[in-house]
Amino acid sequence: MKATKARDAVVAGAQGLALTLLALIGSVTVFVLAVVSIALITVGVGVFTTPHALALVRAHTGRRRLLAAQWSGVRIPANHRPFPRDLRSGVTGQVERCALMLKDPATWRDMRWLLADMTGGAIVAILPPAMILDGIFGFVLLAGVWQPIVEADGTYWYSFVPVDSWGTAGQAALLGVAWLILAFHVNPYLVRTHFRLAGALLTPNREEELEQRIGRLTETRHDALDSSAAELRRIERDLHDGAQARLVAMGMNLGTVEALIETDPAKAKELISKARESSAEALTELRDLVRGIHPPVLAERGLGDAVKALALRLPVAAEVGVDLAGRAEAPVESAAYFAVSESLTNAVKHSGADRVWVDITHTDGSLRIAVTDNGKGGAAVGAGSGLRGIERRLGTFDGVLAVSSPAGGPTMVTMEIPCVLF
C-alpha cells in the first residue's frame, strides 16, 4: 500500500512537471498567437489567421481534457459549436469560419482558461515536483553540499532553515523528510486540483449548456430523419435489386416449367433446379437484409453476443470483451451495434490492421464501447468519413464519439451513450 502511494506521488510529480511546462510554454504560446491574430482582424490579416490560431487553442485545450481524463479521471466536456455543413470554401468561407469561432462562447472560455493556466494552473502544477525535489535537496545538503555553498555565499536558506553548519544541515534533512511526507500524501490531489480548476473554467454555465443542448437535439433530430429516409431507400433498393428480382426470375422459370413439363421433362427439371437455387439465394438476401435492419441475435441475446457474432465474421483476428450487468433499451442497443459494425468495417477496409479489440462496459450511467485496431492510424472525423456517420447515429441518443489515431497507429474509437441497464 505504501509502495503504491509512493509510486503515485512520484508519478504525480512527473505529471505536475509536464503540466507546468505545458502551461508556461504551450498555453503562453497559443494565447499570444490567438491574441495577436485577433488584433490583426482590424487590418484584415487576422480574418485568415484567426481560425488557424483558434484551432490551435482548441487542440491545446483538447489535449488538456484528454490528460485530465487519463491522469485524474476528471472529465471536462468540450462544447464548441459545430460548423454548419454547408460552410462555404474560399475567402467567403474563411471569413464566415472566423466569425463563427469568435461568436462561440467556448472560444472565450478557452481564452480565459489559458490565462488561468499560465498563472494559477502553473503554480498548482509545480508544487508536486517542487516538494519532491526540495525534499531530496535537503539530503543533498546533509551530504556536505552546504559547505561550498556557504563558503561562496555565506549562510544558505533552505526554505526557512538557515544552513551554515552540520547541525543546521541535519535540520534541513529533517525538513526534507517533511517535504517528502507531504508530497507522499498530497501530490495526486494537487494534480487533480489543477484539472478541476481547468474544468471549472472550461465547463459552460447552465444557460449555455441548455442552449447547446437544444441546438444539438435539433441537429440530431434532422440527422435521425435523414438517416431514416436513407435507410428506407436502401431497403427499397436492396429488395428491388436483390430478392425481388430473384423471385421474379423464379416465377418465370416456374411458368416455363409448367409449359415444358410434358413435352421436355429434362429441360423442366433443369429449370426447377434453377428455381430452387434462386429461392435459396433470395432467402439468403432476405436474411441479410433483416440482419441489416435489426439482427435477430441482437434482439434475442443482447449487444454483447451480437457484437461477438459480428466479430466472428471479420477477416481479421478480433477479441471482444463484455462487462454488462443487464441490457439497454432496444434503440440504444441497435445504435451501439451498428456503430460498432461501422467502426469494425472501417478498421478492416482502411486501417490495414490484422487485429482488433472491442471492449464494452457500462460505467457512470453510460454505455462505453472502445474499438481498437493495430493499423496505420490517421483516422479522423470529417465530411465523407464513416466516423461522421457514427457520430450522427450516436448523437441521436445524446452520445459522443472520440477518436485517437496518431500516424502509425494504433487507432482507438471510443463511443459513449448515456443509458441505464435493465
Side-chain angles (χ1 to χ4, degrees):
M1 181 65 179
K2 289 184 177 179
T4 301
K5 292 193 70 174
R7 183 193 62 199
D8 292 344
V10 173
V11 169
Q15 292 172 346
L17 181 60
L19 292 171
T20 302
L21 295 175
L22 283 173
L24 297 180
I25 298 176
S27 293
V28 171
T29 301
V30 297
F31 180 80
V32 171
L33 288 175
V35 170
V36 171
S37 183
I38 293 172
L40 290 175
I41 291 178
T42 56
V43 295
V45 178
V47 171
F48 303 100
T49 60
T50 297
H52 300 289
L54 293 181
L56 189 62
V57 170
R58 292 186 178 188
H60 184 64
T61 57
R63 179 62 180 171
R64 193 62 56 90
R65 289 184 176 94
L66 181 61
L67 292 178
Q70 291 178 341
W71 289 357
S72 294
V74 176
R75 296 190 177 275
I76 305 174
N79 290 283
H80 297 98
R81 292 175 178 173
F83 294 117
R85 298 180 190 174
D86 56 351
L87 187 64
R88 290 167 287 187
S89 58
V91 175
T92 304
Q94 195 74 357
V95 173
E96 187 179 358
R97 182 182 296 270
C98 179
L100 289 171
M101 295 181 82
L102 290 176
K103 290 178 182 178
D104 189 350
T107 297
W108 302 107
R109 285 197 300 272
D110 290 347
M111 297 296 290
R112 182 180 60 187
W113 167 75
L114 288 174
L115 278 173
D117 189 51
M118 66 181 73
T119 52
I123 292 173
V124 174
I126 197 61
L127 290 176
M131 285 190 290
I132 293 176
L133 294 175
D134 212 30
I136 294 173
F137 189 63
F139 291 95
V140 173
L141 290 174
L142 183 61
V145 175
W146 69 271
Q147 289 179 309
I149 295 176
V150 170
E151 289 174 1
D153 300 324
T155 300
Y156 173 75
W157 286 87
Y158 173 71
S159 297
F160 52 83
V161 175
V163 180
D164 55 8
S165 65
W166 285 106
T168 53
Q171 295 175 17
L174 290 175
L175 181 58
V177 172
W179 284 129
L180 290 175
I181 292 174
L182 183 62
F184 178 85
H185 288 93
V186 305
N187 271 10
Y189 298 102
L190 287 172
V191 172
R192 191 173 294 113
T193 298
H194 171 90
F195 289 126
R196 285 180 174 169
L197 173 64
L201 294 171
L202 291 173
T203 302
N205 59 40
R206 184 65 176 170
E207 182 179 347
E208 293 175 349
E209 190 175 356
L210 287 174
E211 180 183 350
Q212 291 183 354
R213 183 171 176 81
I214 291 172
R216 180 175 176 81
L217 289 175
T218 301
E219 181 184 1
T220 55
R221 182 187 64 185
H222 292 313
D223 287 338
L225 292 174
D226 293 341
S227 298
S228 297
E231 188 72 8
L232 287 173
R233 289 193 297 269
R234 181 188 69 82
I235 293 171
E236 181 182 6
R237 183 179 64 251
D238 289 347
L239 283 173
H240 182 272
D241 297 341
Q244 179 178 324
R246 295 191 184 281
L247 291 173
V248 170
M250 184 175 65
M252 294 175 63
N253 286 337
L254 291 175
T256 306
V257 167
E258 186 178 8
L260 295 176
I261 195 167
E262 294 182 358
T263 59
D264 193 349
K267 184 66 175 177
K269 186 176 180 180
E270 179 183 346
L271 291 175
I272 291 174
S273 177
K274 290 183 179 179
R276 185 173 64 251
E277 291 176 2
S278 295
S279 67
E281 291 173 355
L283 181 60
T284 299
E285 290 180 354
L286 285 173
R287 285 174 176 168
D288 291 340
L289 183 62
V290 170
R291 187 180 295 113
I293 298 172
H294 193 79
V297 67
L298 179 62
E300 295 170 3
R301 304 183 61 179
L303 179 63
D305 287 339
V307 172
K308 289 178 180 178
L310 186 65
L312 291 175
R313 298 196 297 270
L314 294 178
V316 299
E319 294 182 17
V320 180
V322 181
D323 184 14
L324 298 176
R327 294 188 58 175
E329 294 181 348
V332 173
E333 284 192 334
S334 179
Y337 173 84
F338 287 109
V340 172
S341 177
E342 182 69 24
S343 298
L344 292 174
T345 300
N346 289 341
V348 171
K349 286 186 176 180
H350 307 299
S351 72
D354 58 13
R355 195 171 191 85
V356 295
W357 296 264
V358 182
D359 293 299
I360 306 174
T361 59
H362 185 272
T363 55
D364 299 328
S366 292
L367 179 66
R368 187 177 187 274
I369 305 172
V371 179
T372 308
D373 67 66
N374 62 350
K376 61 186 178 182
V381 180
S385 166
L387 294 173
R388 175 60 182 156
I390 297 174
E391 188 176 48
R392 288 199 302 268
R393 185 186 293 274
L394 299 179
T396 305
F397 299 89
D398 208 18
V400 294
L401 172 74
V403 180
S404 174
S405 184
T411 295
M412 174 179 281
V413 178
T414 304
M415 298 162 271
E416 287 192 6
I417 306 176
C419 66
V420 295
L421 300 185
F422 301 96

